[in-house]
Amino acid sequence: MTAVNSRALAAEAKAAATAAAVAGSNWRLTWDRGQADVFATGGSLHNLVFRLDNGCAVAPLAEAPWIGDPSVGTDASIPAHLHQLGGEWACVPFGTAMVDPLHHGFGTDNAWHAVEQAADAITLAIDYPEHHPIKSLERRLIGVAGQAAIAIELTVEARTQCILPVGLHPIFRLPEEGRGMRLDPGPFVRGYTFPKVFEPGVSRLRPGAEFTSLDAVPLAGEGVADLSRPPADLREEILQLADVGGCVCIDYPDDGYRARLDWNADDFPSLVIWLSNRGRAAPPWSNSFRGIGIEPVNGFFDDTGLAFHAPADLALGRQFHAGERWTTHYRISASILAAPQHEGPTA
């Protein structure tokens, strides 16, 4: 049995154990090429396992090692989404915004309810507070029959006219020490590092820098880092790519597979890449989390307070109209790693 297959099978076994330990209800999705859990908190996707054409099982998304730890789950000082960090969820608004006190939005830290459910699909919804400019969110997750893929649909209903940053938040796993990874976002116009030091004493990228190639991101001192092959000796970093094409391929050459995220680039024209490689010491992190957020966004990083740092031509959010129902589609998939070239989006 290969190492990647062993890890994926272990993820399957762990899913049942963690399901009972995480606050709120959980639901299980199964189809002929995969399975996943959906947590009520955040309406989030977890424990995603795909079966490839060769029968190998792979688990492309990161999951925090503290999920299910009672000492974390009962700590009210830790935001609910950090209790179960990992997997994938939607952020409305994305990051920190004045209209919503919760980082990544009300829907991230509160329980969703099931609207419709089948073995291979589920529709979830959450109502926002009456004072919020957003009225409700709805998510539909569907295991794609015959494919190692899950299709996701997000619908946002606006209560009042507003401009809000919006984003998606899948976190892919980092390879084990000594194993490789290649990150290919396709062509992009320009990249930006975080305007300030992201994690003081840990982050090494030069704040407020621009770049045009992911393999040459400026460091704070001399030299550059190759973020096309993360973690690139970095521990806690965040950067943003502008005008991306709506597809990212994440190759795990030592494990023999490619993970892929497809989305509508008109809905999310930028991509935030968050690398966390045991870089945060505060609870619940305790220098234990490893993952890479591949986050399509319409906004500038994860705080509207940083907007004055943004380039003049960068979209800072989506304009919603009162009563509007806006729907976007995206997809996470995996395949046997064969061709090294980047392919266009399929979403």
Side-chain angles (χ1 to χ4, degrees):
M1 181 180 293
T2 65
V4 62
N5 205 40
S6 297
R7 286 194 301 273
L9 293 175
E12 292 180 16
K14 183 181 178 184
T18 58
V22 177
S25 300
N26 290 357
W27 301 271
R28 169 63 61 92
L29 301 182
T30 59
W31 68 104
D32 60 341
R33 297 292 298 275
Q35 66 180 49
D37 290 329
V38 179
F39 291 176
T41 300
S44 51
L45 173 70
H46 287 270
N47 301 316
L48 176 63
V49 176
F50 290 133
R51 302 245 174 219
L52 305 183
D53 289 342
N54 60 4
C56 183
V58 297
L61 299 182
E63 300 288 349
W66 60 78
I67 294 178
D69 183 340
S71 66
V72 174
T74 58
D75 189 339
S77 69
I78 299 174
H81 74 278
L82 292 187
H83 292 177
Q84 56 180 46
L85 183 66
E88 178 276 332
W89 72 97
C91 304
V92 183
F94 184 83
T96 299
M98 290 183 64
V99 299
D100 194 320
L102 300 178
H103 191 64
H104 290 317
F106 179 84
T108 290
D109 277 353
N110 287 280
W112 296 51
H113 61 273
V115 175
E116 183 179 2
Q117 184 181 6
D120 60 350
I122 189 169
T123 301
L124 304 167
I126 186 170
D127 295 324
Y128 272 42
E130 291 185 0
H131 66 272
H132 204 289
I134 297 301
K135 182 177 181 180
S136 65
L137 304 183
E138 186 174 285
R139 267 164 64 86
R140 181 161 176 79
L141 301 94
I142 307 171
V144 182
Q147 299 182 38
I150 188 164
I152 306 173
E153 176 183 288
L154 170 68
T155 297
V156 180
E157 183 174 0
R159 177 175 281 112
T160 61
Q161 181 169 317
C162 58
I163 297 177
L164 286 180
V166 291
L168 312 173
H169 207 306
I171 307 176
F172 290 84
R173 73 172 188 87
L174 289 176
E176 295 177 4
E177 301 294 339
R179 302 178 78 84
M181 180 181 197
R182 292 193 296 263
L183 179 62
D184 180 8
F188 61 93
V189 172
R190 189 168 299 277
Y192 306 93
T193 61
F194 199 62
K196 304 180 290 184
V197 176
F198 183 54
E199 186 75 10
V202 178
S203 299
R204 295 175 53 217
L205 295 182
R206 183 189 307 165
E210 297 186 10
F211 56 94
T212 57
S213 177
L214 200 57
D215 62 7
V217 182
L219 291 168
E222 295 183 355
V224 296
D226 183 358
L227 267 296
S228 70
R229 297 178 182 272
D233 296 324
L234 301 174
R235 297 181 60 207
E236 197 74 29
E237 306 289 352
I238 193 168
L239 56 150
Q240 182 163 343
L241 310 182
D243 295 316
V244 291
C247 172
V248 173
C249 294
I250 306 127
D251 291 353
Y252 300 90
D254 295 305
D255 295 332
Y257 79 97
R258 165 178 292 169
R260 177 170 168 146
L261 173 68
D262 292 277
W263 72 95
N264 187 332
D266 292 332
D267 293 338
F268 305 103
S270 289
L271 181 72
V272 167
I273 300 174
W274 165 51
L275 172 67
S276 189
N277 183 30
R278 307 187 197 278
R280 292 184 173 178
W285 308 85
S286 302
N287 300 117
S288 65
F289 184 77
R290 300 186 75 243
I292 183 164
I294 305 295
E295 307 164 26
V297 302
N298 186 335
F300 184 64
F301 285 105
D302 64 347
D303 188 339
T304 55
L306 300 172
F308 68 94
H309 291 285
D313 58 349
L314 190 77
L316 298 180
R318 187 185 189 280
Q319 179 161 347
F320 291 94
H321 301 282
E324 177 187 7
R325 283 179 61 85
W326 170 71
T327 298
T328 190
H329 300 85
Y330 56 108
R331 168 184 169 117
I332 300 170
S333 61
S335 60
I336 300 170
L337 184 58
Q341 73 272 13
H342 182 91
E343 302 167 1
T346 62

